[in-house]
Amino acid sequence: MNGKRILKEMTPYKQGKQMHEVKKEFGLERIVKLASNENPFGYSKKINEYFDAQLPSFDIYPDGYTSELRTAVANKLNINEDQLVFGSGTDEIVQMVGRAFLYPGVNTVMPTPTFPQYKHNAIIEGATVKEIPTINGYHDLDGMLYAIDEDTNVVWLCSPNNPTGSIIAHDDFDTFMEKCPKHVLVVLDEAYYEYVQNNMKSNISVRLSSYKNLLILRTFSKAYGLAGLRIGYGVANKELIANLDVVRGPFNTSSMAQKAALIALDDDEFLLDSTSRNSSIKHSFQQFLDSIGWHYYDSQTNFLLISTPINGDEVFQYLLENGFIVRSGEGLGCPNTIRVTIGNEDDMKQLQDIVYQLHLDINKERES
């Protein structure tokens, strides 16, 4: 079969090792996964309570317009319902942007390193990719502006950025948007928005009223803990949303995902408890890293990108053999780093002990 030629030069997304695989390979009884930025505190208990009492009908198609959840999200964000598009996670909305706005002859600008699906989908659509290196984990916004030309259709901003965890300050964002040509779609990916300190959070309705070429992405996969149900959303002006709806699949989010997200959205107590615990545990882990002299990047998320004194793959392997799955930065475009999701209190204390032993071993080897 003759598919797109570029597909022969690309590889599909490869997920990290699964817990049962690691247990079997290394003969371990217990594995802690800190590799995918999932919420270690789960999700709202109200979701289980609801589904224990009733389940959606699996024999009929879901609501293709996502009506109930659409109304709830619009009310919470103080926007109109026609300013929303829903997807199977924000991954699918990234794909929608590619299908709608990227094609041979145009280019797209993005930071590097950042979420790899921006580049992946752009290449599939035949667009030219312009990558601008981050500076200490932060977007080089001036460099990105300089890279924009008359053929640029989409610019990607990830704030907080994955994998570095850094956020774009309000003033810097506004300056960028004022200078960015109005014909360029700016996609602001805020997947980790709920983890951001309150004084650094953006106001979505204000930003959308100011910038007609802006699309903001958010998800229920991270702080809300619904990664397994795959549901996220995009917010923009209604004309832009209408274009994305053309390329959206008609029944792209399941009935169960829609209902679970609706319940999660209303449970402010769970969200506050979850994000507060993450902040406290992260701070404690940062203090530990300071004590052993391991640098980490500024992070407004539930993960840390940590510089390692040896190759990131080696640290990944050491932690793996000791029952912890993290992400090596070598494959993320960040040499000599690992990305660690912030786990619960007990797991992070155990991780500290293992990292400290590795720290001692490295120092001992260097001294010998």
Side-chain angles (χ1 to χ4, degrees):
M1 294 182 288
N2 294 320
K4 292 182 177 180
R5 292 181 181 177
I6 193 64
L7 299 182
K8 296 179 180 179
E9 303 173 19
M10 303 175 69
T11 56
Y13 176 81
K14 185 178 180 181
Q15 66 179 18
K17 285 180 175 287
Q18 297 301 292
M19 295 168 70
H20 68 276
E21 295 174 327
V22 178
K23 284 182 179 180
K24 183 178 180 181
E25 183 176 354
F26 298 106
L28 298 169
E29 292 294 324
R30 181 173 178 270
I31 294 294
V32 178
K33 184 185 176 190
L34 301 176
S36 301
N37 305 336
E38 296 146 330
N39 190 337
F41 310 116
Y43 50 86
S44 170
K45 292 181 180 178
K46 295 179 180 180
I47 294 173
N48 280 352
E49 292 170 1
Y50 176 85
F51 287 122
D52 282 345
Q54 56 185 311
L55 287 172
S57 298
F58 295 137
D59 56 331
I60 60 174
Y61 286 109
D63 174 8
Y65 191 63
T66 326
S67 303
E68 277 192 280
L69 181 59
R70 179 181 297 272
T71 299
V73 172
N75 290 339
K76 196 173 188 76
L77 299 181
N78 192 30
I79 59 173
N80 297 323
E81 293 186 15
D82 58 6
Q83 290 182 272
L84 287 161
V85 63
F86 290 86
S88 176
T90 49
D91 288 13
E92 186 187 18
I93 305 176
V94 170
Q95 186 180 52
M96 292 179 201
V97 171
R99 292 186 67 189
F101 298 102
L102 297 178
Y103 46 87
V106 304
N107 67 66
T108 179
V109 177
M110 63 191 68
T112 184
T114 194
F115 186 52
Q117 290 302 298
Y118 310 149
K119 181 178 180 179
H120 183 83
N121 284 285
I123 292 174
I124 289 174
E125 300 301 335
T128 299
V129 176
K130 295 184 177 183
E131 296 180 283
I132 310 302
T134 57
I135 301 174
N136 296 323
Y138 286 86
H139 288 52
D140 178 4
L141 295 176
D142 288 337
M144 295 180 72
L145 283 170
Y146 185 77
I148 295 172
D149 60 29
E150 64 275 8
D151 294 322
T152 303
N153 268 19
V154 181
V155 170
W156 302 89
L157 305 177
C158 190
S159 182
N161 189 36
N162 180 10
T164 63
S166 60
I167 194 168
I168 300 172
H170 297 317
D171 291 346
D172 293 339
F173 175 80
D174 289 333
T175 299
F176 178 88
M177 292 301 298
E178 293 297 332
K179 293 181 178 179
C180 183
K182 304 310 176 191
H183 77 274
V184 175
L185 170 61
V186 177
V187 183
L188 176 63
D189 188 343
E190 295 187 328
Y192 298 91
Y193 170 83
E194 289 78 14
Y195 288 107
V196 175
Q197 293 174 236
N198 286 333
N199 65 327
M200 301 183 77
K201 285 183 176 177
S202 62
N203 185 309
I204 206 166
S205 61
V206 170
R207 284 189 167 177
L208 291 178
S209 63
S210 301
Y211 310 116
K212 302 302 181 184
N213 59 329
L214 178 64
L215 169 66
I216 298 175
L217 307 184
R218 292 189 183 169
T219 184
F220 289 94
S221 295
K222 303 304 180 184
Y224 287 104
L226 300 181
L229 288 178
R230 311 307 301 123
I231 186 161
Y233 58 94
V235 195
N237 70 73
K238 66 179 183 180
E239 291 78 18
L240 177 54
I241 293 297
N243 284 329
L244 293 177
D245 266 329
V246 172
V247 299
R248 177 182 63 85
F251 304 107
N252 61 324
T253 60
S254 70
S255 300
M256 182 171 279
Q258 291 181 33
K259 190 63 182 180
L262 183 65
I263 297 168
L265 190 69
D266 193 47
D267 193 349
D268 292 331
E269 183 178 353
F270 168 80
L271 187 65
L272 178 60
D273 177 70
S274 181
T275 54
S276 297
R277 289 175 70 184
N278 170 82
S279 179
S280 176
I281 298 167
K282 181 172 67 175
H283 179 66
S284 177
F285 190 56
Q286 287 171 322
Q287 288 182 315
F288 161 73
L289 293 171
D290 289 338
S291 73
I292 63 172
W294 284 28
H295 168 77
Y296 49 86
Y297 289 76
D298 295 337
S299 175
Q300 288 286 324
T301 64
N302 66 334
F303 63 82
L304 288 174
L305 183 67
I306 304 167
S307 295
T308 52
I310 58 176
N311 184 279
D313 285 345
E314 294 179 61
V315 179
F316 162 82
Q317 188 65 29
Y318 181 91
L319 296 179
L320 187 67
E321 293 175 10
N322 283 275
F324 280 82
I325 307 175
V326 300
R327 283 292 298 271
S328 169
E330 304 300 324
L332 300 173
C334 304
N336 295 333
T337 66
I338 55 171
R339 193 190 67 190
V340 178
T341 304
I342 303 301
N344 65 39
E345 291 88 346
D346 291 340
D347 289 340
M348 295 306 290
K349 287 178 182 177
Q350 185 182 350
L351 177 63
Q352 285 183 196
D353 292 339
I354 296 170
V355 170
Y356 184 66
Q357 185 59 55
L358 174 60
H359 169 69
L360 293 178
D361 291 345
I362 292 172
N363 286 346
K364 184 177 180 180
E365 184 175 336
R366 286 177 173 175
E367 292 170 1
S368 61

